[in-house]
Amino acid sequence: MNPQFVSSLQELLQKLASPTDTETIKAVTETLNQQFYTTATCVPALLTIVKDSQQSEIRQLAAVEMRKRIPAFWGELDAETQQQIRAATLELILSETNGPTRHCLARVISSIAELDIPNQRWNELIQFLYQCCQSPTATHREIGVYVLDTLFDVISDMLSEHMQHLFEIFAALINDPESLVVQVTTLGALGKIADLIYPEDRALISKFQAQVPAMVRVLQTCLERGDEDSASRCFEVFSSMLLLETPLINRHFGELVEFSINVAGKEDLEDSLRNMSLNFILCAAT
């Protein structure tokens, strides 16, 4: 790795992270695209910046740019470099202290996994994520379930092979004793699992239905804590499940409608949340 290449790249990212005008953004972006993002060397260089920069906004930006370059350049890197990047990325996401940067690194991981796992590479990733999900450290559990959630966006067919194990893990995480972030992210991941369950999969339907009461409790906790963004995400998951052919929430349908009616009637809640509960009721009635 050419230290000058990394240093120059970091200087440009610094300008991009704190621009003074649109002309600066345009000029820096043009330089990056013409002089740095034309070779696979930019991928390990960006990872080096994520690892070494003391500024969280630079680490985050480098991770974003790295994710964008993976589809174009991953296949051009030799096997040894690829393995070094895989290992370093997993180490970095566990040690990263900035939440948004961790999320960007999760997207880096899913971008690599999208290319690797269908080709029988990086098979140890899933086991790593299982270990994170079972960690005594809440941040590591958040990382594990968040990365799994992003993987559903790119390799859902591959994850469907792990359905039984995923249900065991998510059954614990939806009731996480410490982190609402873990609970909400798990609820979102369960919503993506719902899309993979067919009407004839009675065993999986039963396993999913067993999680619905805990999912409702997560939504209720979000409302009690005034976490509107998380509550909205939960409502979106429940509403999307109403549209599925598979009867995943039928067993608890009445309870969900009653819960939504109660939410809609609470004048102390934000109008957006009350409207979402009303929308759920309307969808349920059609």
Side-chain angles (χ1 to χ4, degrees):
M1 179 65 62
N2 184 342
Q4 184 59 47
F5 184 92
V6 176
S7 176
S8 298
L9 177 56
Q10 184 163 346
E11 288 179 11
L12 288 169
L13 292 181
Q14 181 75 58
K15 292 179 180 178
L16 203 59
S18 52
T20 55
D21 53 71
T22 55
E23 287 302 316
T24 298
I25 295 174
K26 183 178 179 180
V28 170
T29 300
E30 185 174 344
T31 301
L32 286 169
N33 289 334
Q34 293 182 356
Q35 299 181 25
F36 291 86
Y37 295 156
T38 57
T39 170
T41 305
C42 69
V43 175
L46 287 164
L47 183 63
T48 298
I49 294 170
V50 176
K51 175 178 175 290
D52 293 341
S53 177
Q54 299 300 309
Q55 297 174 269
S56 61
E57 63 270 22
I58 300 301
R59 298 197 303 274
Q60 181 179 348
L61 180 56
V64 169
E65 293 298 320
M66 182 180 174
R67 179 192 60 79
K68 293 178 182 178
R69 312 306 151 194
I70 291 294
F73 295 120
W74 187 248
E76 297 182 19
L77 298 168
D78 61 72
E80 182 180 359
T81 301
Q82 287 182 346
Q83 184 54 33
Q84 290 172 349
I85 291 173
R86 294 186 194 104
T89 304
L90 297 184
E91 290 178 8
L92 285 173
I93 199 171
L94 291 180
S95 61
E96 175 58 53
T97 57
N98 178 260
T101 303
R102 286 199 300 269
H103 285 184
C104 292
L105 283 169
R107 296 293 177 181
V108 170
I109 291 169
S110 63
S111 294
I112 297 172
E114 182 178 13
L115 300 173
D116 275 0
I117 290 183
N119 292 303
Q120 305 302 313
R121 295 191 291 268
W122 211 9
N123 295 323
E124 65 272 20
L125 173 62
I126 301 300
Q127 187 58 43
F128 167 84
L129 298 176
Y130 287 164
Q131 292 172 354
C132 287
C133 288
Q134 296 167 333
S135 169
T137 304
T139 302
H140 292 177
R141 297 196 299 276
E142 292 172 9
I143 290 168
V145 71
Y146 186 84
V147 176
L148 283 171
D149 184 58
T150 65
L151 289 181
F152 276 110
D153 295 330
V154 295
I155 55 166
S156 59
D157 289 346
M158 301 292 175
L159 288 180
S160 65
E161 301 173 4
H162 302 266
M163 200 74 84
Q164 297 290 346
H165 201 172
L166 287 170
F167 266 117
E168 293 175 9
I169 289 174
F170 289 166
L173 294 178
I174 196 70
N175 294 290
D176 193 273
E178 188 177 355
S179 172
L180 182 59
V181 173
V182 170
Q183 295 176 6
V184 172
T185 308
T186 303
L187 189 148
L190 283 167
K192 293 177 182 178
I193 279 183
D195 291 332
L196 305 176
I197 301 176
Y198 295 99
E200 61 270 20
D201 294 332
R202 294 188 178 182
L204 293 179
I205 291 172
S206 179
K207 286 181 179 293
F208 192 97
Q209 289 175 336
Q211 306 310 316
V212 173
M215 294 170 71
V216 175
R217 287 195 295 272
V218 172
L219 172 54
Q220 188 169 10
T221 300
C222 293
L223 293 171
E224 291 171 352
R225 297 188 183 182
D227 188 344
E228 293 183 36
D229 290 342
S230 296
S232 296
R233 183 180 181 189
C234 294
F235 265 123
E236 288 173 2
V237 170
F238 282 118
S239 296
S240 67
M241 288 192 292
L242 287 173
L243 305 176
L244 298 176
E245 182 181 353
T246 308
L248 296 176
I249 59 176
N250 289 21
R251 185 188 299 176
H252 304 281
F253 184 76
E255 300 166 38
L256 282 167
V257 171
E258 182 179 357
F259 175 82
S260 298
I261 291 173
N262 289 334
V263 171
K266 291 186 176 181
E267 297 183 357
D268 57 324
L269 291 177
E270 292 293 329
D271 288 344
S272 59
L273 291 175
R274 297 174 67 194
N275 288 336
M276 291 197 78
S277 65
L278 287 171
N279 287 336
F280 178 84
I281 296 168
L282 291 173
C283 290
T286 57

